[in-house]
Amino acid sequence: MHVRTVVAALSIALAPLAAGAGEDLKDSKDPSLFTRMPGFFIADYSCTDFAAEKFIDEKGKEKAQEGKLCQIDYRPNAGVEPGPLAVRRNYTNAAKKLGGKVTFDTKDNKGESHIVLKSGGKETWVKVYAPGYSWYRLLVLEKEEMVQSVVANAEVLATGLATTGHAAVGGIFFDTGKADLKAESDAAIAEVVKLLQKDPTLKVYVVGHTDNVGSPASNLKLSQDRAAAVVNAFVTKHKIAEDRLGSFGAGPYSPVASNDSDSGRALNRRVELVKQ
């Protein structure tokens, strides 16, 4: 997830460092949104593909956002002292020019500012922390859902059906608001097929679930259509007898997590097997 911009449009200009100035940490770089304050170098740098960080949101509430998170610590060269408030104001002013919104800003000279930028349905959250004259930190989170790497396992599914009568099938994917199975679902589908082939007497319902975004009626239909798409894949692609399968859409009525967070909604959008 990237918000593209022209660096020249930002109010923070990147000035060349003087000879003998501090050098950037190896393999570090400025975020794509902003250049740095003139006369500063990167002293510490880390990026994580998926992590959580708390920001103050547009409603004034502290909320954890999830996605790719980069932390960049800048230190000034000798004689460079713009002051912590000047650092924060440079970044908040630059963000506003990009259409961003400052969601939190401490009143005193030292402290932090929180910023959100939205473009094309994507969000980038920025925290500028400037505790004094000796350094400042940028935390940049490009909001996105975690890539699901772990898929269903036939043995685990069998255990779930035997002990609780139902089992969630991880790794089944659909586009937002659609019921067409994505190609990334093939591995999980194959594990369910393995389960059904190993026990020819096993019959299951395929149950679709959604989060609570949208109307209950639309979610019920979507969950039913998705469950039917999974059953169709078993029957047409893998020759599983149709009388061993049933489909049902539970919509938003059986959540396993809170719908108040992105991570919770992601858990609620799922497909389960229920033993007949």
Side-chain angles (χ1 to χ4, degrees):
M1 178 185 305
H2 296 284
V3 180
R4 299 186 181 275
T5 186
V6 179
V7 172
L10 304 179
S11 65
I12 303 175
L14 176 57
L17 299 181
E23 294 184 359
D24 287 349
L25 190 69
K26 185 179 179 182
D27 297 326
S28 65
K29 61 181 180 179
D30 295 307
S32 58
L33 281 172
F34 305 109
T35 58
R36 70 188 74 182
M37 290 292 291
F40 281 72
F41 63 94
I42 299 176
D44 195 19
Y45 179 88
S46 65
C47 276
T48 305
D49 287 339
F50 191 79
E53 179 68 24
K54 291 182 178 179
F55 296 85
I56 304 298
D57 66 15
E58 294 164 282
K59 296 180 180 179
K61 296 182 178 180
E62 187 176 59
K63 182 179 178 181
Q65 307 293 342
E66 297 180 346
K68 181 179 180 180
L69 177 66
C70 290
Q71 176 182 306
I72 311 165
D73 288 358
Y74 294 94
R75 291 194 178 277
N77 291 290
V80 178
E81 294 185 352
L85 185 59
V87 169
R88 288 164 46 212
R89 286 291 175 268
N90 266 271
Y91 280 96
T92 56
N93 289 340
K96 289 176 182 177
K97 289 185 178 181
L98 297 175
K101 181 176 181 180
V102 179
T103 60
F104 177 76
D105 206 18
T106 50
K107 302 299 183 182
D108 54 359
N109 186 41
K110 301 175 183 179
E112 61 187 60
S113 302
H114 298 200
I115 303 161
V116 62
L117 300 103
K118 299 180 180 181
S119 177
K122 306 294 179 65
E123 292 182 14
T124 301
W125 290 83
V126 181
K127 187 184 295 184
V128 188
Y129 177 60
Y133 287 81
S134 61
W135 68 287
Y136 74 91
R137 170 175 294 167
L138 282 187
L139 286 164
V140 181
L141 185 141
E142 298 172 346
K143 188 172 178 179
E144 58 188 16
E145 292 185 3
M146 180 182 68
V147 176
Q148 181 69 35
S149 300
V150 178
V151 300
N153 175 278
E155 292 182 4
V156 174
L157 293 173
T159 300
L161 291 174
T163 57
T164 66
H166 65 95
V169 185
I172 292 183
F173 304 104
F174 304 90
D175 285 326
T176 301
K178 297 182 179 180
D180 298 321
L181 271 171
K182 300 182 73 172
E184 299 95 302
S185 306
D186 289 349
I189 293 293
E191 288 296 315
V192 180
V193 170
K194 188 187 301 183
L195 168 73
L196 294 169
Q197 289 175 337
K198 187 175 182 179
D199 182 0
T201 66
L202 179 63
K203 296 183 178 182
V204 297
Y205 298 109
V206 177
V207 182
H209 298 267
T210 68
D211 57 30
N212 67 347
V213 177
S215 70
S218 64
N219 278 323
L220 280 171
K221 183 179 186 307
L222 179 63
S223 62
Q224 175 61 55
D225 290 346
R226 286 179 171 179
V230 174
V231 168
N232 183 63
F234 292 148
V235 173
T236 60
K237 293 184 179 180
H238 299 281
K239 310 305 179 185
I240 302 297
E242 192 169 358
D243 61 4
R244 298 177 62 191
L245 304 165
S247 63
F248 180 78
Y253 292 113
S254 185
V256 294
S258 171
N259 279 303
D260 292 336
S261 68
D262 291 327
S263 57
R265 289 190 290 272
L267 289 172
N268 291 333
R269 296 189 296 270
R270 68 196 189 280
V271 170
E272 289 188 332
L273 301 181
V274 176
K275 190 173 182 179
Q276 293 189 28

